[in-house]
Structure formats: structure tokens, C-alpha cells
């Protein structure tokens, strides 16, 4: 067929219309927003709460995905965290294989689940094990950290220029493809590297690193660590003393990661975060007792100064002790940092801490290893229930998922408080202006609360208006008292209901024995709207 000017014009208009249609179908870019000291992750123009589950490390291969999606469905999770492997993505220098990414995107879209993608690049748990083979076979070009004795350790050097350039090239290709392949914004955030740092050495002692260690500490790093006075200027040893080596390595790693992140963000500005292998939050050990170089609590300011392209530094919390867990949440809940827990245990005694995180305006929570490829750090026997490991997290998500948008909005507005039970503390009091909400555990009728046999209770209370509240939780009781001691509370109306399509659907009114001592929350998902008055 001969192509005439008229046909060309029609084709041009049709092409423009198709492009415009595609643009109109693109969802808004997810982004982190701060207001009055509180943070929220905005998705499709509104606050969003990540009810996450992180797959096992080797679960992103297409052959494994059929064992992932059923677990996500059972959990009622709205977001799957899953790795992207550099060794698969760039099997030969400059040749990129997008097939695994495309498979994950297509299946996530099919299952109506959002994604957080984890870039297993230069670092994975302090090592370079996910680098492509062609890099592993050239250690002179892509060097390891050199220890004090001059020997290489099993960690990549942050001063390896060739490694940095290769990671920048690969991560940029990954982000560019993600932008083109995901106009629906299935992917909410990207983790840059994984638990960066070094084991077996506090820092790199190579000649190039040593030269920088003996040079003056950059002024922005001194300012970040409150060591800006003239008396503390000097090289790293002079400024930081016994912490010099971990501070130096944190700076070096953060600078490297920032260059990778900045390059990726230039082509597709999704929120980016890094995760931290932690040190003991209550009794920090000496340098060398924890992974050196990552964003541990003592060097968060260095990471903030050296890696401005990173939106969030996030703790991987593998602790079950209540005091330790709560201290970590507090350390990473900072005015300059949204709280996000990208990895944690899914055990029964830990699941309740999601509510503790919510009480600190967390934007999300994601236990690790919640799929059917391996339900525990060790293999389960055939006789065990495959959902046993998932159930503690599923309890949370069955309750919270239907009301997720309301919770995210109320938390961003500063109207929500949430708590988890702690051993030896059978009740907690939350202040809401003229009202106190008292959360108690193990309470029976009018007897004092004694606590549950194991601390599994958790509750959230959100103020909808002056005298109206949303209440939800598990294994606890919630009651209200006027702040004015001369007044007594009365329940005007306690509505039990469910959330459907984000809206509260009334089912029945509770009264009498069901409210005489407060409202009781057991093991089933339950949402209550409580209207109060005084007399």
C-alpha cells in the first residue's frame, strides 16, 4: 500500500493518541512525604501502609514463584519484598536479562500485590556473593576489603572504582527498565544493596583507603556527628578515636551506595532505602562485634550526610526481647528518617511489635521468609502445618488490611496510637485530649488486668472526632476514661463492623455485658467505632 501524506497524518495522530492514553493510565509516582514531623508513603495520591512479607532469598526465580503467591494471599499482605539478583540480571558485561523482573512484575500485577524490589548488588549481608561470575573471577579488578594483615576478606571494597561503575551501570539499567515496564507503579520502593558493610575487618586497609583514613574528615561528616569544633578537626583517628574505623568505613560505604542510588534515581525517582544489620541496641559491643560500615544506629548521621539519595535507613530486626526491639524502633524513628521495618522475624512473640511500630508512625512492616519455599530457617517435617509459621503475621494483616488506607491516613495526621503488650505491664494508657484510652491485657470482667500468659496483646486507637474513636486489636480490652476526674464515661454507641472497599460497614451495636467493662478484642479481626459522652 502506498503511504500518502494523509495516511501519515492519521498515523501520527493515532500514535499521539496512544501515547497520551498510556500516559493517562500511569499511576502517580510513589513518594515519601513529611508533615509536622510525621512521615507517610504516598501511593496513588494517598497514604499507604505496607503490610509486607519478604520472600526467602532464593524465591525470586520463576520456578519458585508458585510457592510465593499462595503465601502472600494467605497472609493478606499487600506488598511482597523480593530480590533482584545482579548475577542473573547481568550474566555478561553490559548484557542485561530482564526476564525475571518482567515475570515478577506480571505475576504481582495479576495477584494485585505491590512490590518492594531488593537490589542484591555489590553487597548482600556484607559480602559480594551476588556479583556476576565475571566479576568474582577478576578480584584484582573488583577487589575485596583488605584487612590489617594485608589479606583480602569476604567483603567488597567500597574503594573499588570498577565495581562501583559496574554497579551504577547495572542498577541504572534495572531502574530504567522498571520505569518502562511498570506504568501501574506496582513497585513502591527499591532497596539499594543489602546489609552493606564488612565482616572480618573494621574497614579497608588498602593503600588507597589508608591514604583517605589519614586525610582530614570532611566537614559535612564532622557536622553530622556534632564534631565541628576546631579542636576536633583532623583525620579520622583524631576526630573519632576508638570509633574512627567504623565511622570511616560507614562513610566510604555510604558514598559508594549513594552514587549507585543517585544514578538509578536520575532515571526513575522511586523511593530508595538501605537496610541495616544491627548491633546490640542496649549494650553495644566494641567495633568488630557487629558488621562495620552499614547504617547501624551509631553512624546513621554519617549515612544521612554521605548518602542523600537514600530516603530511608531501615533496621532488620532479628530480636525477640521486648526492650531491645522497642529500643531499635526508637533509634530508627528519627526526625530525619521515616520508620520502616523491612525485615524481622515472623514468630508469635514478635508479630505484636508491628503495633509498636505503628505507634511510632511506621510506614510499613515486613517479616522475612514468609513463603512456602522454606517456612522456617530449618526445614519443616511433612506433618507440620505449612501455615503455622505464617499465622502470627496473618492475624495482624487480616485485621489491618481492610482498613489500611484509613490507618495510614490517621497515622499521618497524628490521630492514631498503637501499643503492644510487654511482660509485667498489664495495661497502657493513651492520651487523646479529654479522653484516656486504657488498653489492658488478661482482664476478666471487673478484675484488675493480669496480662496474658505470654505477651501477645496489641491494640490501636484512632481519634475520628472529639468523642469518637476507631478501635481494633487482638487479645486485649480497651476502655475509655475522661481526663476530668470529676466526670464518668458512658458509651453512647459501640458499633461492630467490617471494612469493605475501604469503608466501614456497620453490622451490630454492642451493649450491656459486652461493654460494661470496656470493649473486648480476641483472636478474630474486629473493628469497632466507639462514641463517648460523660455524665
Amino acid at each position: 500500500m502506498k503511504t500518502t501524506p494523509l495516511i501519515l497524518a492519521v498515523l501520527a495522530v493515532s500514535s499521539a493518541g496512544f501515547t497520551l492514553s498510556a500516559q493517562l493510565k500511569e499511576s502517580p509516582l510513589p513518594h515519601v512525604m513529611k508533615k509536622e514531623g510525621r512521615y507517610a508513603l504516598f501511593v496513588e495520591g494517598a497514604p499507604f501502609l505496607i503490610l509486607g512479607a519478604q520472600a526467602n532469598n532464593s524465591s525470586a526465580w520463576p520456578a519458585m514463584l508458585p510457592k510465593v503467591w499462595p503465601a502472600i494471599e494467605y497472609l493478606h499482605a499487600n506488598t511482597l519484598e523480593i530480590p533482584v539478583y545482579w548475577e542473573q540480571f547481568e550474566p555478561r558485561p553490559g548484557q542485561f536479562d530482564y526476564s525475571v523482573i518482567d515475570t515478577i512484575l506480571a505475576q504481582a500485577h495479576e495477584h494485585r500485590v505491590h512490590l518492594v524490589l531488593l537490589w542484591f548488588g555489590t553487597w548482600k549481608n556484607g559480602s559480594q556473593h551476588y556479583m556476576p561470575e565475571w566479576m568474582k573471577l577478576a578480584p584484582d579488578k573488583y577487589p575485596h576489603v583488605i584487612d590489617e594483615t594485608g589479606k583480602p576478606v569476604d567483603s567488597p571494597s567500597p574503594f573499588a572504582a570498577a565495581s562501583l561503575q559496574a554497579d551504577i551501570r547495572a542498577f541504572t539499567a534495572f531502574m530504567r527498565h522498571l520505569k518502562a515496564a511498570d506504568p501501574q507503579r506496582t513497585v513502591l520502593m527499591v532497596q539499594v544493596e543489602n546489609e552493606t558493610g564488612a565482616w572480618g575487618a573494621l574497614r579497608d586497609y588498602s593503600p588507597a583507603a589508608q591514604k583517605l583514613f589519614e586525610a582530614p574528615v570532611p566537614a559535612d561528616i564532622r557536622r553530622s556527628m556534632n564534631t565541628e569544633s576546631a579542636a576536633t578537626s583532623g583525620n579520622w583517628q583524631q576526630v573519632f578515636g576508638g570509633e574512627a574505623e567504623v565511622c570511616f568505613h560507614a562513610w566510604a560505604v555510604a558514598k559508594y551506595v549513594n552514587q549507585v542510588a543517585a544514578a538509578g534515581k536520575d532515571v526513575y525517582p522511586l523511593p530508595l532505602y538501605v537496610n541495616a544489620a544491627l548491633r546490640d541496641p542496649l549494650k553495644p559491643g566494641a567495633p568488630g562485634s557487629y558488621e562495620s560500615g552499614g547504617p547501624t544506629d551509631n553512624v546513621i548521621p554519617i549515612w544521612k550526610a554521605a548518602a542523600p539519595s537514600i530516603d530511608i535507613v531501615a533496621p532488620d530486626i532479628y530480636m525477640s526481647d521486648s526492650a531491645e526491639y522497642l529500643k531499635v524502633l526508637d533509634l530508627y524513628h528519627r526526625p530525619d528518617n521515616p520508620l520502616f521495618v523491612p525485615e524481622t522475624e515472623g514468630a508469635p512473640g514478635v508479630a505484636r511489635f508491628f503495633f509498636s511500630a505503628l505507634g511510632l508512625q511506621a510506614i510499613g512492616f515486613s517479616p522475612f521468609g514468609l513463603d512456602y519455599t522454606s517456612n522456617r530457617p530449618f526445614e519443616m517435617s511433612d506433618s507440620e502445618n505449612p501455615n503455622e509459621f505464617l499465622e502470627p503475621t496473618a492475624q495482624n494483616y487480616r485485621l489491618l488490611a481492610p482498613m489500611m488506607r484509613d490507618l495510614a491516613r490517621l497515622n499521618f495526621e497524628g490521630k492514631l496510637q498503637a501499643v503492644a503488650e510487654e511482660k509485667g505491664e498489664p495495661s497502657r494508657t493513651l492520651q487523646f485530649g479529654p479522653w484516656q484510652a486504657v488498653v489492658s491485657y488478661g482482664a476478666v470482667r471487673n478484675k484488675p488486668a493480669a496480662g496474658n500468659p505470654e505477651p501477645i496483646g496489641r491494640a490501636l486507637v484512632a481519634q475520628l472526632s472529639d468523642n469518637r474513636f476507631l478501635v481494633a486489636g487482638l487479645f486485649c480490652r480497651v476502655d475509655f476514661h475522661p481526663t476530668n476526674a470529676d466526670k464518668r464515661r458512658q458509651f453512647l454507641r459501640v458499633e461492630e463492623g467490617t471494612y469493605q472497599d475501604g469503608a466501614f460497614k456497620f453490622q451490630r451495636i454492642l451493649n450491656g455485658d459486652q461493654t460494661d467493662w470496656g470493649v473486648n478484642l480476641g483472636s478474630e479481626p474486629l473493628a469497632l467505632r466507639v462514641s463517648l459522652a460523660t455524665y
Side-chain angles (χ1 to χ4, degrees):
M1 180 181 72
K2 184 177 179 181
T3 304
T4 66
L6 178 60
I7 292 174
L8 287 172
V10 171
L11 289 173
V13 171
S14 298
S15 175
F18 177 80
T19 302
L20 179 60
S21 175
Q23 289 173 346
L24 290 174
K25 290 179 181 177
E26 285 189 353
S27 296
L29 196 68
H31 61 282
V32 175
M33 183 178 289
K34 183 179 182 181
K35 180 181 74 174
E36 298 175 356
R38 297 181 297 273
Y39 288 92
L41 174 65
F42 271 66
V43 176
E44 297 176 355
F48 184 93
L49 177 62
I50 291 177
L51 308 178
Q54 185 168 151
N56 282 293
N57 286 335
S58 297
S59 294
W61 295 96
M64 296 294 103
L65 291 175
K67 296 183 178 181
V68 173
W69 302 116
I72 299 303
E73 181 178 355
Y74 179 84
L75 287 164
H76 293 75
N78 62 26
T79 305
L80 168 65
E81 292 186 8
I82 196 163
V84 173
Y85 314 120
W86 190 3
E87 61 182 349
Q88 177 276 327
F89 183 68
E90 192 178 7
R92 287 173 294 279
Q95 297 184 21
F96 302 109
D97 179 357
Y98 303 105
S99 61
V100 171
I101 296 172
D102 289 341
T103 299
I104 294 170
L105 281 173
Q107 293 189 16
H109 196 251
E110 177 186 343
H111 288 87
R112 303 177 66 83
V113 173
H114 282 288
L115 295 170
V116 171
L117 295 180
L118 319 175
W119 175 244
F120 283 10
T122 297
W123 279 273
K124 167 66 170 76
N125 293 22
S127 299
Q128 68 289 345
H129 296 170
Y130 283 86
M131 281 184 177
E133 288 184 19
W134 50 268
M135 295 181 71
K136 294 175 184 174
L137 294 172
D140 290 341
K141 185 175 182 180
Y142 308 105
H144 293 222
V145 162
I146 301 300
D147 70 12
E148 286 182 278
T149 69
K151 295 179 180 178
V153 301
D154 190 18
S155 293
S157 171
F159 301 104
S163 301
L164 173 60
Q165 292 309 311
D167 202 338
I168 287 173
R169 180 183 64 197
F171 187 69
T172 303
F174 159 54
M175 294 293 285
R176 182 180 292 112
H177 181 76
L178 200 55
K179 179 181 180 181
D182 186 29
Q184 302 92 350
R185 315 301 191 199
T186 307
V187 178
L188 304 181
M189 297 196 294
V190 172
Q191 177 185 291
V192 189
E193 316 297 346
N194 185 88
E195 293 190 358
T196 56
W199 292 104
L202 294 181
R203 64 174 176 90
D204 195 341
Y205 293 86
S206 66
Q210 189 61 29
K211 184 177 180 180
L212 288 169
F213 184 72
E214 294 171 356
V217 176
D220 62 331
I221 302 303
R222 295 203 311 273
R223 284 194 296 270
S224 74
M225 297 291 280
N226 297 317
T227 57
E228 181 57 12
S229 69
T232 56
S233 62
N235 64 30
W236 291 85
Q237 191 65 55
Q238 292 167 334
V239 171
F240 293 112
E243 295 284 312
E245 292 174 307
V246 294
C247 289
F248 173 76
H249 200 52
W251 167 75
V253 173
K255 276 189 63 179
Y256 183 114
V257 172
N258 185 67
Q259 292 176 79
V260 176
K265 221 170 194 178
D266 279 347
V267 298
Y268 190 32
L270 280 178
L272 304 179
Y273 74 94
V274 291
N275 60 334
L278 304 178
R279 62 179 196 158
D280 189 314
L282 299 178
K283 298 178 181 178
S289 63
Y290 57 91
E291 187 176 357
S292 175
T296 47
D297 65 270
N298 52 325
V299 293
I300 291 175
I302 290 177
W303 269 83
K304 288 291 181 180
S309 293
I310 296 298
D311 299 284
I312 306 169
V313 293
D316 290 355
I317 314 179
Y318 290 95
M319 301 170 181
S320 57
D321 177 78
S322 178
E324 291 178 346
Y325 207 107
L326 296 176
K327 182 61 175 179
V328 170
L329 294 177
D330 184 61
L331 288 168
Y332 284 82
H333 172 237
R334 296 164 49 99
D336 61 353
N337 191 63
L339 179 60
F340 174 50
V341 181
E343 278 189 52
T344 189
E345 295 182 60
V350 175
R352 73 189 196 277
F353 291 125
F354 186 10
F355 283 72
S356 303
L358 272 181
L360 297 175
Q361 292 85 48
I363 65 170
F365 194 84
S366 186
F368 172 76
L370 300 189
D371 61 41
Y372 294 133
T373 65
S374 175
N375 284 58
R376 294 185 180 175
F378 51 88
E379 292 295 330
M380 296 177 67
S381 70
D382 293 338
S383 64
E384 290 182 272
N385 178 2
N387 290 326
E388 182 181 352
F389 187 60
L390 306 179
E391 184 56 27
T393 299
Q395 271 192 324
N396 284 341
Y397 293 177
R398 281 195 294 267
L399 172 66
L400 302 180
M403 62 182 92
M404 176 273 291
R405 286 289 190 178
D406 267 8
L407 298 182
R409 174 183 56 81
L410 290 163
N411 219 359
F412 189 47
E413 293 172 352
K415 297 177 180 178
L416 184 147
Q417 297 185 54
V419 292
E421 183 178 2
E422 297 178 47
K423 208 166 190 67
E425 294 187 28
S427 67
R428 289 280 300 276
T429 299
L430 310 177
Q431 298 290 339
F432 289 94
W435 291 101
Q436 295 177 333
V438 179
V439 182
S440 56
Y441 311 102
V444 179
R445 292 186 65 82
N446 61 338
K447 295 180 180 179
N452 291 307
E454 292 296 329
I456 57 173
R458 55 263 208 197
L460 64 85
V461 181
Q463 191 165 25
L464 304 177
S465 61
D466 287 348
N467 301 309
R468 214 161 149 260
F469 295 85
L470 169 66
V471 178
L474 297 162
F475 309 108
C476 66
R477 171 184 290 171
V478 180
D479 201 356
F480 292 86
H481 302 292
T483 303
N484 184 343
D486 295 330
K487 299 286 186 179
R488 299 184 67 184
R489 72 104 173 104
Q490 59 177 329
F491 288 115
L492 290 183
R493 185 179 176 96
V494 177
E495 298 178 338
E496 179 184 313
T498 60
Y499 273 76
Q500 297 176 15
D501 300 322
F504 182 81
K505 302 293 183 182
F506 167 82
Q507 291 181 323
R508 63 173 176 167
I509 294 176
L510 302 181
N511 210 327
D513 292 343
Q514 296 161 320
T515 61
D516 284 345
W517 315 108
V519 294
N520 297 299
L521 304 169
S523 61
E524 295 301 314
L526 188 64
L528 304 175
R529 290 206 171 187
V530 177
S531 297
L532 302 169
T534 60
Y535 64 92

